[in-house]
Amino acid sequence: DIVMTQSPDSLAVSLGERATINCESSQSVLYSFNNKNYLAWYQQKPGQPPKLLIYWASTRESGVPDRFSGSGSGTDFTLTISSLQPEDVADYYCQQYYSTPPTFGQGTKVEIK
Amino acid sequence: QVQLVESGGGVVQPGRSLRLSCAASGFTFSSYGMHWVRQAPGKGLEWVAVISYDGSNKYYADSVKGRFTISRDNSKNTLYLQINSLRGEDTAVYYCAKDGDPYRSGGSYYFDYWGQGTLVTVSS
């Protein structure tokens, strides 16, 4: 199974500041035949199910604010929140879907400083 | 709008069985693969199983293989998870989740909609 490792486990950022979450996969999730990275990001607020933010490593899901962006390729990926808002307080998970089983990172808790 | 509503959770004794359901609406259910993902209290997300849009392909996490069975009834727009020989480590919120693209043959993918989840507690 591909192991997904996120860093940091938690971070506190001031309102309006940038938040950066890293995700590393134990093997590449880039498919050479279509040049796509099989990597998604989810946001989960307390008591709610996860919500898809980003897929194909950098494609924003419809309706997701443009302050959320994804980048990276191969084994190293980043989710960036460009200007943290109060409603962004949540847990964030990366997930690879390059191979079965799909696997998630351990999660990163984002809080307001 | 897409809706996924899970049901069937509860408190169950170890070794017993349970069947979870997920009622889908707002999209063409028969065109999409469907997944179960679980989350133990205070823990992260763990994928459990997937079934292809037509039910022909099914895959399971090693931790549940042989005990869990995923199925679907496209005439009822409903996904199921039969859970047998329940263990304490199966205690979790179970979410159903929809494949991000239609007509896939199963296996790994991203999930564009999730239900609210149903809690399964295994306790004597």
Side-chain angles (χ1 to χ4, degrees):
Chain A
D1 299 0
I2 297 178
V3 177
M4 307 300 290
T5 304
Q6 292 180 225
S7 61
D9 289 333
S10 65
L11 75 161
V13 176
S14 300
L15 287 174
E17 296 300 305
R18 178 183 301 259
T20 300
I21 302 169
N22 299 302
C23 175
E24 180 178 356
S25 56
S26 60
Q27 65 185 75
S28 176
V29 298
L30 172 63
Y31 246 123
S32 55
F33 87 95
N34 61 6
N35 202 37
K36 286 187 172 184
N37 286 284
Y38 284 55
L39 190 285
W41 288 97
Y42 300 88
Q43 174 193 65
Q44 186 178 31
K45 297 180 180 179
Q48 295 186 21
K51 172 189 173 184
L52 176 67
L53 295 176
I54 303 282
Y55 56 100
W56 302 126
S58 61
T59 301
R60 198 178 303 113
E61 173 71 335
S62 175
V64 173
D66 60 7
R67 63 180 180 273
F68 291 91
S69 64
S71 63
S73 184
T75 61
D76 294 287
F77 301 90
T78 300
L79 175 69
T80 302
I81 310 172
S82 60
S83 175
L84 193 73
Q85 301 302 304
E87 61 267 32
D88 301 335
V89 170
D91 293 329
Y92 292 84
Y93 294 90
C94 62
Q95 177 231 336
Q96 67 79 20
Y97 47 102
Y98 179 90
S99 65
T100 302
T103 48
F104 296 88
Q106 80 277 16
T108 295
K109 182 179 294 291
V110 173
E111 299 171 315
I112 305 293
K113 185 186 291 182
Chain B
Q1 72 282 20
V2 173
Q3 277 201 308
L4 299 170
V5 180
E6 300 93 338
S7 60
V11 180
V12 188
Q13 292 180 328
R16 303 297 292 265
S17 299
L18 203 60
R19 189 176 82 157
L20 307 182
S21 300
C22 170
S25 61
F27 66 103
T28 305
F29 180 71
S30 59
S31 298
Y32 288 85
M34 296 294 297
H35 303 254
W36 288 99
V37 180
R38 68 184 180 182
Q39 186 170 34
K43 302 297 184 183
L45 300 166
E46 180 190 17
W47 175 82
V48 172
V50 61
I51 186 168
S52 59
Y53 66 97
D54 59 358
S56 61
N57 293 316
K58 304 173 186 181
Y59 301 93
Y60 298 92
D62 285 345
S63 57
V64 308
K65 206 172 292 184
R67 297 190 301 122
F68 288 21
T69 301
I70 190 171
S71 62
R72 66 190 298 158
D73 186 337
N74 284 346
S75 69
K76 295 182 178 179
N77 289 348
T78 303
L79 174 73
Y80 302 101
L81 186 68
Q82 177 69 38
I83 307 175
N84 297 330
S85 304
L86 275 157
R87 306 167 179 169
E89 55 265 37
D90 297 321
T91 294
V93 174
Y94 285 73
Y95 297 103
C96 64
K98 171 183 165 291
D99 247 4
D101 283 315
Y103 301 119
R104 295 188 56 256
S105 57
S108 209
Y109 215 57
Y110 65 89
F111 320 115
D112 62 351
Y113 288 93
W114 300 61
Q116 289 294 318
T118 187
L119 176 62
V120 174
T121 303
V122 183
S123 174
S124 53

